Amino acid sequence: MKALRIDKEPTYHCELVDVTEAVFNDTLSPEGDVWVDVAYSSVNYKDGLAITGKSPVVRKPTLVPGIDFVGRVRRSENPLWQVGDEVILNGWGVGETHSGGLAQMARVKGDWLIAKPAGLTAVQTMAIGTAGYTAMLCLMALQNHGVKPGDGDILVTGASGGVGSVAVALLSQAGYRVVAATGKANEHAYLTALGAAEIMDRALLSAPGKPLQKERWAGVVDAVGSHTLANACASARYGATVAACGLAQGMDFPATVAPFILRGITLCGIDSVMAPKAVREAAWARFADTLDADWLQSLTTVVPLSGAIETASQILRGEVRGRVVVDVNA
Ligand code: NDP
């Protein structure tokens, strides 16, 4: 079987290898009670960090990267799953502490899997992938906090990336007026086609700003962190909700409490990795119920397994548009 393999010795590197099932089970994935023939995985920002070694995402001396995948159960020692079941997985440390989806086979704990929603094709589930499912968690957070389409503009940062692109499309489909902040002048038409009502230059958000600014946003989906998140909070309207899920600009949060104590805004942290199963299933079910196949296809590129290594560098340089699906059998 083909797999991407990260080795930390002699120096950190990731390469495409051919391994036998025995070697896979002995050295790359010694734990797990369900074996899955992987159909597709995808390249998320965290995969970029893992494959390049730019951040210490990988916690084992060797493993297969890939934080999500879809496939069919090949062998199961877990009563939850039978041979032939179609399953998806994202998070739970897969691709970080446990071998992941960038291989033709994965071996995982059955408890981590969820059934592939019947309304989605395999390739669509990975076009959504961790990034898209996180965008859905952000939308659900805004809605759970009472943000309604008539309340005002919703800011999406990192808009041309994976989380951002799906967030723009989901929010506009749900009737919100979306302002897409991007650094890519050449992606304005793309973002407008996804449903953005207005485009904003991300430079207006990325430098240090005042603690309280003109009230503008009824809600925010932020994939960027750092000054961008601080400025988004500072310009959120009274009672607004800000969903923070990413750190593409930085992990810091150089803000003050002013927007919280003077405007009563809410900052919601969004985590996809350890989200409970019921939350995951609810998010995936919403995609199955509401998906517009055309917009999903418009933001998706498919690459072969070998192409994931180059895509990993591109995503860290902020050069990837939308979502990149990996066909592990190509
Ligand atoms: P992408 O690389 O696809 O998108 C990130 C986007 O952020 C880029 O396309 C770019 O958009 C913008 N960006 C990049 N660098 C900077 C910068 N220096 N300053 C401001 N904006 C920048 O990544 P994903 O969409 O897959 O992930 C986005 C973030 O969300 C990542 O930090 C990732 O780790 C995080 N994430 C978190 C999850 C969770 O569970 N909390 C799950 C999934 C992702 P543009 O050019 O349009 O400005």
Side-chain angles (χ1 to χ4, degrees), residues 133-135 137-142 242-246 268-273:
Y133 142 84
T134 302
L137 295 181
C138 291
L139 170 62
M140 288 162 70
L142 297 191
V242 177
C245 72
C268 296
I270 304 298
D271 169 56
S272 67
V273 178

Side-chain angles (χ1 to χ4, degrees), residues 61-147:
T62 183
L63 58 56
V64 175
I67 65 171
D68 49 24
F69 65 78
V70 60
R72 223 176 250 283
V73 173
R74 169 197 186 100
R75 174 178 156 201
S76 175
E77 294 171 356
N78 185 311
L80 285 174
W81 304 107
Q82 320 301 324
V83 171
D85 286 347
E86 287 192 283
V87 290
I88 53 178
L89 186 146
N90 63 269
W92 300 117
V94 164
E96 302 179 67
T97 55
H98 188 103
S99 275
L102 287 166
Q104 289 176 307
M105 186 168 74
R107 177 185 182 183
V108 295
K109 289 189 184 166
D111 296 348
W112 296 341
L113 294 165
I114 61 174
K116 181 182 81 60
L120 300 173
T121 65
V123 71
Q124 282 174 335
T125 63
M126 282 303 106
I128 295 164
T130 302
Y133 142 84
T134 302
M136 182 62 90
L137 295 181
C138 291
L139 170 62
M140 288 162 70
L142 297 191
Q143 291 178 329
N144 290 342
H145 283 83
V147 181

Side-chain angles (χ1 to χ4, degrees), residues 295-306:
W295 71 248
L296 188 61
Q297 198 172 0
S298 77
L299 58 78
T300 305
T301 309
V302 182
V303 301
L305 188 54
S306 58

